[in-house]
Amino acid sequence: KYQILFISLLLLLCGCSGPKAISKSEDLILKNVAYGTDSRNIMDIKLPANRTPETPFVLLIHGGAWTMANKENIEDFMDTLYTNGISVASINHRYANNENVHYLEMLADVDAALNYCISKANEWKIRKNNFVMAGVSSGAHLALLYSYTTDKKINAITEFCGPVDFTTKEVLGYIQSAGLKEVLVKMTGKDYDLSKEIDPVFATSSPITQVKDIPILIVHG
């Protein structure tokens, strides 16, 4: 039932009635397309037949605590969108680490993937703006944060169980007690001590502090 709700809300929030067969186009399915220079900078593309620039386009981001998993883990969502006439790209991004990849670098990957799709818009017969961002868990966090901080026009966001608020010691204490401090430190690039002042990066990496007026569907267990 979540997938049916997902499709219905996406079509509504895209502000369009679905594909319009103005010019004929075949289905296009591409695997492991490189959108950047890192080995993790790859994505899968599934575009339905008879698509036009009016066809909704969703960019999907997998979960995995910013440090694991792949686009294959959300292939069922990708297939659901595609079989319902929606264009979709599902991406891998660089994993967060303790050295040089944190939330800004992962957001840069999301932007690079979207820029690649835009560069192919005429060839693929897809839109150049007004995208829908969607993600699961840590991917939902990235989808939200990207949508709220990019200059690109995002029509809507669909997020499944995304963490949104790292601004309080209460939340950070819960994250620590749940054994998730290590991945949060990798994502932000900063450690924290609950007995000391918290670094501002925990606020700037929190979608709740960046909210824009974008329609959103929240699915949470």
Side-chain angles (χ1 to χ4, degrees), residues 10-144:
L10 280 174
L11 288 170
L12 176 64
L13 296 177
C14 281
C16 54
S17 58
K20 297 178 181 177
I22 296 172
S23 61
K24 291 290 184 181
S25 58
E26 301 297 324
D27 292 79
L28 179 63
I29 298 177
L30 303 171
K31 293 283 290 184
N32 297 321
V33 175
Y35 67 83
T37 57
D38 191 87
S39 61
R40 291 280 306 164
N41 293 157
I42 57 175
M43 61 181 170
D44 295 342
I45 307 292
K46 289 192 176 183
L47 308 177
N50 298 325
R51 66 194 173 275
T52 76
E54 298 299 316
T55 303
F57 190 105
V58 178
L59 190 137
L60 277 176
I61 310 174
H62 68 81
W66 305 285
T67 60
M68 64 185 84
N70 296 285
K71 53 187 169 57
E72 286 74 19
N73 296 101
I74 53 171
E75 197 163 8
D76 55 339
F77 287 110
M78 185 180 200
D79 288 341
T80 298
L81 291 166
Y82 166 68
T83 57
N84 281 273
I86 294 174
S87 298
V88 56
S90 183
I91 75 167
N92 282 355
H93 57 75
R94 284 173 287 175
Y95 291 140
N97 59 40
N98 288 319
E99 291 78 42
N100 59 358
V101 179
H102 311 300
Y103 76 98
L104 290 177
E105 286 71 30
M106 290 184 285
L107 292 179
D109 285 352
V110 176
D111 193 55
L114 209 51
N115 284 337
Y116 184 88
C117 292
I118 293 169
S119 75
K120 294 288 186 177
N122 292 335
E123 177 184 343
W124 290 352
K125 296 183 174 64
I126 60 172
R127 59 181 54 200
K128 296 182 179 180
N129 52 33
N130 298 316
F131 300 98
V132 173
M133 300 297 301
V136 177
S137 190
S138 61
H141 164 265
L142 293 175
L144 287 161

Side-chain angles (χ1 to χ4, degrees), residues 190-212:
K190 294 288 184 179
D191 202 349
Y192 65 87
D193 183 335
L194 295 175
S195 67
K196 299 178 181 178
E197 186 175 353
I198 301 301
D199 192 284
V201 73
F202 291 94
T204 57
S205 62
S206 295
I208 199 170
T209 69
Q210 311 284 348
V211 174
K212 289 181 182 176

